[in-house]
Amino acid sequence: MSNSQISSTRQRIINAAIELFAAQGVTETTTKAVAKSAKVNEVTLFRHFGNKHGLLLAIISESPVFQELSEYLKNQATESKSVRQALKNYCEDRLQALERSPNLVRSVVGEAGNYPLENRQALGRSLKEANHYVAEFLAIVMEREQLQAHLAPQKLASLLNIMLLGYAVMEFTSEFHELWHDKDDFLEDLVSLFLMGATNSKSLVTSELVHVEKVVDLPANTVQLILQRAKKSGLRDYALIYILFGTGLSTAEITNLERNHQICDTNQHLLQIVKGEFRQVPINQWIMGKRYGSYTNNPLTRYLKIRKDKHSALLLNNDAMPISVTEIQEYWQKIVEGLSTPEGQQPAIEQAQHTWCVEMLMKGISLENMSLITGWDLQELEPYEHRAKEKLALEQAIKLDKN
C-alpha cells in the first residue's frame, strides 16, 4: 500500500470518527461503528490508532484549532497594523475553527473526565503548545508597539485561550444566554478587556485606529457620492453611512448603540457611548460642506421613524437583528464598490473616521476637546492635526492664488 493510500485510509477513519463522536459522543461510539462508517476493517483501525482513545488522541492533536497555528500567528504578527487588530483576528479565527465542529467540542469537553490519562495529557499538550505560539505572538506585537504588560506573555496567552474556549463551550451547550448580541460583540469586549487588563492602555481600548502613521481622509466629492449611493440603497444604509461620516465612531462602537443612547431635539443630536469610558458624540448635520437634514430630521431619525420592531439596537441587519461589525463592513463594501480614492484604492471604512476627524479639526475644535469627544489621547490625534493643517494650508494657498 502506498503512502498516499495509507494517508487516505487514516484520514477516512478520522473523518468517520469525528462525525460519530459529534453525533453520539465519544463514550457511546464504538470502534466497530467507526470502522464501518469509514468502510474499513476494525483491524485496520487498530493498526493505525491502537484503540478508540488512540483515535481520539489523533483527532485532538490534528484539530483545526491547533493546526498551522504557528505559521498563522507569524503572519498576523507581521501583517496586522495594530496589536488590537492582530488580537481580534486571532480570536475570530480560533472561534471559527471551533465552530466548524460544535458537537465534537461538546463531546470532547463534556466527556473529558472519562478519558484515560494519555488523552487528557494530549489535550493538555495541545493547549500548552497553542499557548506557547500565542505567547510568542504577543511578545512580538507588544514589543513592536512598546507596550508594558502586567503579566508575562505566557500567562496572557493562557488566559486568552481559556476565555475563547469558555465562550465556545457556553455557545455550544446553552441557549439564549443573551450576554452578547453576537460573536462580534463578544470579541470586541474580550479584546478591550484583555488590552485594558494586560497593558493598562486606554488608547488601545477606546479606538480601533491606534498608532495611525498616515491619515488618509476622503475628498468631499467621494464622501457625497458614498452618501448618495447609501441613500439609494435604503434608509438603514443611509443612516449607517450618515453615522460613520457624521460622528467618526468605529464599527464596534456603532454595534453597541441602542435607541435610547441618542439625545435629539431642535438644538442638538447626540449619541452616547456607554461601553468603556462614558462620553457623548455629536452627529454633524453638515458633512464636507453639504447639509444632510436637521437635528430632528436626518437619515438616522427617518430610519428610526419607519421601524415597527421593538429591538433596542439602533441599527438592525437585513434579518431585523442587531447589526454586527462584519455586517457593517459588508454593507460598506457593497456601497463603495467600483469607487476609487485619489490613491487609486477602494475607499476603506476606516477612512470615514479619518475624514470626520480631520474635518472637525479644520472647523476649529481644539485637540483637548477632540480628545474628550473621541476618547483618544493627544498623541493619537497628532497625525490628524497634521493632516488638518496640511489641508488648511492648501486652502489658504488657493485663496491667495485667486487674489
Side-chain angles (χ1 to χ4, degrees):
M1 184 178 290
S2 67
N3 289 337
S4 62
Q5 288 176 314
I6 292 173
S7 177
S8 175
T9 300
R10 187 178 187 281
Q11 191 59 50
R12 203 161 69 246
I13 295 171
I14 287 178
N15 291 343
I18 289 174
E19 187 174 337
L20 289 172
F21 287 168
Q24 57 196 38
V26 177
T27 304
E28 297 299 320
T29 300
T30 64
T31 52
K32 184 177 180 179
V34 173
K36 182 179 179 181
S37 178
K39 294 182 172 57
V40 299
N41 294 324
E42 196 172 5
V43 174
T44 303
L45 184 151
F46 293 145
R47 188 167 62 247
H48 280 279
F49 303 101
N51 54 33
K52 180 172 71 173
H53 290 293
L55 176 56
L56 178 60
L57 200 68
I59 290 173
I60 292 172
S61 301
E62 298 173 24
S63 166
V65 178
F66 306 116
Q67 281 182 336
E68 300 177 359
L69 184 57
S70 175
E71 194 63 33
Y72 170 82
L73 287 172
K74 285 178 183 177
N75 292 335
Q76 278 296 312
T78 56
E79 293 177 4
S80 297
K81 294 180 180 179
S82 70
V83 62
R84 181 184 182 89
Q85 190 59 52
L87 275 173
K88 188 174 179 183
N89 289 347
Y90 165 73
C91 293
E92 191 167 25
D93 185 82
R94 293 305 91 192
L95 283 184
Q96 286 175 353
L98 290 166
E99 286 171 349
R100 293 186 196 114
S101 305
N103 292 330
L104 181 62
V105 173
R106 275 195 292 264
S107 178
V108 169
V109 174
E111 301 177 44
N114 301 326
Y115 301 158
L117 179 61
E118 61 177 329
N119 286 85
R120 297 199 300 274
Q121 288 176 334
L123 184 57
R125 282 196 303 271
S126 296
L127 289 170
K128 185 177 180 180
E129 186 177 21
N131 288 341
H132 173 71
Y133 291 142
V134 176
E136 287 187 338
F137 156 72
L138 289 173
I140 291 171
V141 294
M142 293 179 77
E143 182 180 1
R144 187 187 70 203
E145 304 291 338
Q146 296 183 329
L147 300 176
Q148 297 297 318
H150 301 315
L151 297 173
Q154 188 68 37
K155 288 188 175 182
L156 291 175
S158 299
L159 287 171
L160 186 63
N161 284 330
I162 285 172
M163 286 188 280
L164 286 170
L165 182 59
Y167 173 81
V169 171
M170 184 180 65
E171 282 291 294
F172 302 157
T173 58
S174 64
E175 297 290 337
F176 309 115
H177 54 75
E178 297 182 350
L179 294 176
W180 294 277
H181 286 312
D182 52 27
K183 183 176 68 177
D184 286 320
D185 190 25
F186 164 74
L187 288 174
E188 285 297 325
D189 286 346
L190 174 61
V191 173
S192 294
L193 177 65
F194 189 82
L195 289 172
M196 187 183 296
T199 67
N200 197 29
S201 175
K202 174 185 172 185
S203 64
L204 285 174
V205 176
T206 55
S207 173
E208 287 183 342
L209 293 177
V210 293
H211 299 286
V212 174
E213 295 180 0
K214 183 180 180 182
V215 173
V216 186
D217 55 310
L218 296 171
N221 60 339
T222 302
V223 173
Q224 290 164 8
L225 185 54
I226 291 172
L227 281 156
Q228 287 172 12
R229 286 189 172 194
K231 184 177 182 180
K232 292 179 181 178
S233 183
L235 265 179
R236 192 278 317 282
D237 289 354
Y238 196 22
L240 168 63
I241 301 301
Y242 176 64
I243 292 173
L244 283 168
F245 282 110
T247 66
L249 293 179
S250 70
T251 53
E253 289 170 329
I254 291 174
T255 62
N256 290 321
L257 290 172
E258 298 187 358
R259 294 198 207 197
N260 61 2
H261 291 163
Q262 62 170 341
I263 300 173
C264 183
D265 57 43
T266 55
N267 297 313
Q268 61 184 355
H269 192 180
L270 307 176
L271 291 176
Q272 301 185 102
I273 310 303
V274 298
K275 287 221 170 183
E277 187 173 333
F278 179 87
R279 69 184 201 277
Q280 294 180 331
V281 180
I283 307 181
N284 297 335
Q285 53 184 327
W286 286 90
I287 299 173
M288 302 297 286
K290 184 173 179 180
R291 189 178 183 186
Y292 292 85
S294 64
Y295 291 134
T296 57
N297 183 20
N298 55 58
L300 177 57
T301 59
R302 290 197 290 272
Y303 162 70
L304 293 174
K305 191 176 293 185
I306 67 165
R307 276 181 43 188
K308 306 300 180 184
D309 60 88
K310 295 182 180 180
H311 276 295
S312 61
L314 189 70
L315 296 176
L316 302 180
N317 62 17
N318 294 338
D319 297 319
M321 296 298 291
I323 200 168
S324 70
V325 169
T326 302
E327 287 163 338
I328 291 176
Q329 292 169 339
E330 289 173 353
Y331 300 151
W332 170 274
Q333 291 295 330
K334 183 179 178 182
I335 290 169
V336 303
E337 185 178 0
L339 294 182
S340 181
T341 67
E343 294 77 23
Q345 304 293 324
Q346 183 171 289
I349 196 167
E350 294 82 7
Q351 289 180 276
Q353 199 174 45
H354 288 208
T355 304
W356 170 83
C357 192
V358 170
E359 185 180 21
M360 290 289 285
L361 290 168
M362 288 180 67
K363 288 179 177 178
I365 191 171
S366 68
L367 280 184
E368 289 76 14
N369 287 340
M370 194 66 172
S371 178
L372 291 173
I373 291 176
T374 59
W376 308 346
D377 60 37
L378 296 179
Q379 186 177 1
E380 255 189 296
L381 289 169
E382 286 178 359
Y384 299 93
E385 181 187 33
H386 179 74
R387 175 58 180 157
K389 287 180 177 178
E390 275 186 343
K391 294 189 72 172
L392 286 170
L394 284 171
E395 287 185 2
Q396 185 178 13
I398 291 170
K399 287 180 180 177
L400 290 172
D401 186 54
K402 293 178 178 177
N403 292 336

